[in-house]
Amino acid sequence: MGAVWVGPGSPGDPPRVAAMDPGTGPRKERPKPREPAARLEKAKQRSAQQELKQRQRAEIYALNRVMTELEQQQFDSFCKQMQGSGE
Amino acid sequence: MTGMAGGGGRGSSRRAAAGKEGGRSRSAQPRAAGGGGSGGGSEEEEQEQQRDGGSLFLVNKSGFPMDGQTWERMWGHVERVHPDGSAVAAAIRSATRLARPSVPPVPNYKLSMSIPEWLQAIQTYMKMLQYNHTGTQFFEIRKTRPLSGLMETAKEMTRESLPIKCLEAVILGIYLTNGQPSVERFPISFKTHFSGNYFHHVVLGIYCNGRYGSLGMSRRSDLMDKPLTYRTLSDLIFDFEDSYKKYLHSVKKVKIGLYVPHEPHSFQPIEWKQLVLNVSKMMRTEVRKELEKFARDMRMKILKPSSAHSPMKERSRGKSLSPRRRQGSPQRRACRRDKSPAVLDKKGDLATLNEVGYQLRI
């Protein structure tokens, strides 16, 4: 198989900047400590899940190759046995 | 698969896997919070582990990425059935770098394509996904689900791009041929017998412009796609039957479904067995007659789903629901078909024929 990975869009889009509310009088600094952190955490989780999926897919195809070969060997051996018993 | 399928008669006990991480793969990480497994109860496992051809039939119901329990179950099965299962599992799971398999592009229909070319493109795509030999089916297909739900699963198949088996291939084939009104699709199911066990297989029958063919996936290349060249439905079915004989499978039943609607959001379920023929109890001429009658009714689109009329039940020799058929037609005696000399379903022959209990699966 080729080594080129063509997957879905990259995970972890940069967090969007929240819009300021207009017409609120003197601008006050509003503390926003939790929101970006939560978003960042979610983005990290998504990224981790994506990596896990990619790794699983790679293992599945590696396994499928081995199991396909096994099936072919068993089939060939069965056919030879059939030919042998038929003679 | 445990039991008789391959493995040279290995026992079913699970060996401890070798490896730096105690046999756990680099991919066996627990899922993020919220993505749970199925609870892991043994009763649930028993429900999941159906048998086909005497072998376990494992299905992933945890979505993607697969949860730890399903993942470990997959590898556990591999260790049981492969002669070097532990080594194989360890080698793959502990590999620091694995080749990233390419993702085949989902085929797109172009106006310049003929229908046979389009079907060929779809079949090529399925072959690039590969037949799934791992022992675990990755996409759960509930045959009674509405078509819309199954089409969502088909979309998932194109997103996740993983190996598939025959039933998944039918659903994927329906999805990819949606929107081509000249192409009619209908399921064709086979129940066969080999070496003391029954096997089930399904392909997607295709009818277009007066010709029949099929799409599908199988371990055997002549039991999946067939070109759109068969003039009658019987010709197509008999071709499958002849192919089965090469693998010493005797066909017991053939089930033909209705045309699948082209609306991907349809809430109707697929009708899988509008016609059921016990072909092992019929002469070939009878089978041909029933198939052609049914095919004609299908082409004239006068059939309604059998599930809409009565509870689904098997109809020997297929009584179609054509209004032209007389009520209370005389019962025909089931005639035995000529037995193929290649069919060896007597247990006494198994010992000499199949010393390692190899199940020639389709």
Side-chain angles (χ1 to χ4, degrees):
Chain A
M1 293 211 193
V4 176
W5 171 256
V6 178
S10 313
D13 291 330
R16 285 173 285 174
V17 176
M20 294 287 285
D21 250 351
T24 53
R27 286 185 182 181
K28 294 177 185 176
E29 286 295 322
R30 293 182 181 180
K32 294 179 267 189
R34 292 179 191 171
E35 215 172 271
R39 280 183 187 165
L40 199 58
E41 186 57 36
K42 273 190 182 174
K44 275 185 186 171
Q45 279 181 6
R46 272 199 303 268
S47 177
Q49 285 226 328
Q50 197 59 28
E51 278 181 32
L52 180 55
K53 271 186 4 177
Q54 289 179 13
R55 173 68 195 195
Q56 284 188 346
R57 186 168 179 270
E59 288 191 24
I60 283 167
Y61 272 102
L63 171 61
N64 205 46
R65 189 174 140 191
V66 170
M67 299 301 279
T68 304
E69 284 169 7
L70 173 68
E71 162 63 32
Q72 193 59 48
Q73 282 164 16
Q74 289 178 339
F75 179 68
D76 291 343
S77 141
F78 178 77
C79 290
K80 280 179 189 164
Q81 190 190 352
M82 280 288 297
Q83 284 170 4
S85 58
E87 284 167 4
Chain B
M1 304 281 180
T2 59
M4 290 176 281
R10 284 159 54 89
S12 58
S13 60
R14 183 178 168 176
R15 288 190 197 167
K20 288 178 187 176
E21 296 173 45
R24 294 181 65 78
S25 71
R26 300 167 67 83
S27 60
Q29 303 165 28
R31 293 185 79 180
S38 58
S42 59
E43 285 177 7
E44 267 192 48
E45 279 189 4
E46 281 174 9
Q47 284 169 8
E48 287 179 0
Q49 292 172 4
Q50 300 169 33
R51 289 187 175 269
D52 185 45
S55 304
L56 284 178
F57 188 81
L58 307 176
V59 182
N60 166 41
K61 296 185 180 182
S62 66
F64 301 97
M66 291 160 62
D67 67 10
Q69 183 190 0
T70 309
W71 192 245
E72 293 303 322
R73 190 183 62 180
M74 181 183 83
W75 285 109
H77 167 79
V78 169
E79 289 176 25
R80 283 191 297 274
V81 303
H82 195 287
D84 300 314
S86 300
V88 162
I92 294 173
R93 298 181 78 176
S94 61
T96 50
R97 298 188 74 172
L98 276 177
R100 280 186 176 180
S102 57
V103 176
V106 181
N108 272 320
Y109 177 71
K110 297 182 185 91
L111 286 172
S112 56
M113 280 177 158
S114 66
I115 295 298
E117 284 170 347
W118 171 229
L119 295 176
Q120 182 64 45
I122 291 171
Q123 186 64 50
T124 300
Y125 172 71
M126 290 191 197
K127 286 179 181 173
M128 288 172 78
L129 292 177
Q130 295 180 16
Y131 187 85
N132 181 359
H133 283 97
T134 65
T136 296
Q137 181 173 309
F138 299 118
F139 302 95
E140 186 189 7
I141 307 288
R142 276 177 282 151
K143 293 168 79 173
T144 53
R145 277 185 85 188
L147 188 60
S148 53
L150 293 173
M151 293 302 96
E152 287 302 314
T153 303
K155 267 189 223 173
E156 192 178 33
M157 287 185 220
T158 62
R159 278 196 306 268
E160 301 300 329
S161 191
L162 289 169
I164 56 175
K165 297 173 75 175
C166 59
L167 185 55
E168 293 149 296
V170 166
I171 303 303
L172 185 57
I174 292 169
Y175 173 69
L176 292 172
T177 51
N178 272 341
Q180 293 290 332
S182 63
V183 178
E184 298 288 5
R185 305 83 43 91
F186 56 98
I188 305 172
S189 308
F190 300 93
K191 179 180 177 182
T192 61
H193 184 267
F194 168 80
S195 189
N197 280 304
Y198 289 98
F199 296 81
H200 296 87
H201 181 46
V202 64
V203 298
L204 185 65
I206 302 285
Y207 175 72
C208 178
N209 202 23
R211 293 288 186 271
Y212 289 89
S214 67
L215 292 173
M217 287 293 278
S218 167
R219 293 173 179 80
R220 316 298 161 201
S221 58
D222 45 1
L223 287 169
M224 37 195 271
D225 59 309
K226 300 278 183 188
L228 208 56
T229 55
Y230 296 83
R231 290 174 181 270
T232 65
L233 177 58
S234 318
D235 288 345
L236 176 67
I237 301 300
F238 292 149
D239 190 276
F240 272 102
E241 202 174 12
D242 293 342
S243 297
Y244 265 113
K245 284 178 189 168
K246 288 192 239 169
Y247 305 105
L248 307 184
H249 276 238
S250 58
V251 179
K252 296 298 182 188
K253 284 188 188 171
V254 175
K255 302 174 191 177
I256 316 284
L258 287 181
Y259 289 161
V260 180
H262 279 269
E263 299 90 37
H265 306 294
S266 169
F267 215 70
Q268 271 184 324
I270 293 173
E271 180 57 67
W272 295 91
K273 39 186 182 179
Q274 181 74 8
L275 174 70
V276 180
L277 297 177
N278 278 323
V279 296
S280 59
K281 296 179 183 175
M282 298 167 72
M283 303 294 288
R284 204 168 239 215
T285 48
E286 284 183 300
V287 174
R288 181 178 285 282
K289 192 176 169 186
E290 291 295 332
L291 284 171
E292 290 317 305
K293 200 179 303 180
F294 181 74
R296 194 170 50 245
D297 289 345
M298 277 174 61
R299 290 192 299 270
M300 292 176 66
K301 304 197 179 166
I302 56 178
L303 293 175
K304 290 182 184 173
S306 62
S307 49
H309 285 261
S310 58
M312 242 187 281
K313 57 182 179 181
E314 183 177 311
R315 290 180 294 282
S316 224
R317 299 187 296 286
K319 300 195 186 298
S320 82
L321 298 174
S322 165
R324 293 173 294 161
R325 186 176 279 278
R326 283 180 298 164
Q327 294 284 328
S329 49
Q331 291 293 321
R332 278 172 283 182
R333 190 164 53 89
C335 301
R336 278 218 170 265
R337 298 187 63 218
D338 290 338
K339 286 185 184 174
S340 162
V343 173
L344 295 161
D345 52 2
K346 294 177 186 176
K347 287 191 177 178
D349 293 321
L350 291 177
T352 54
L353 184 65
N354 197 359
E355 288 166 1
V356 297
Y358 173 61
Q359 289 297 305
L360 212 168
R361 310 191 67 215
I362 303 300

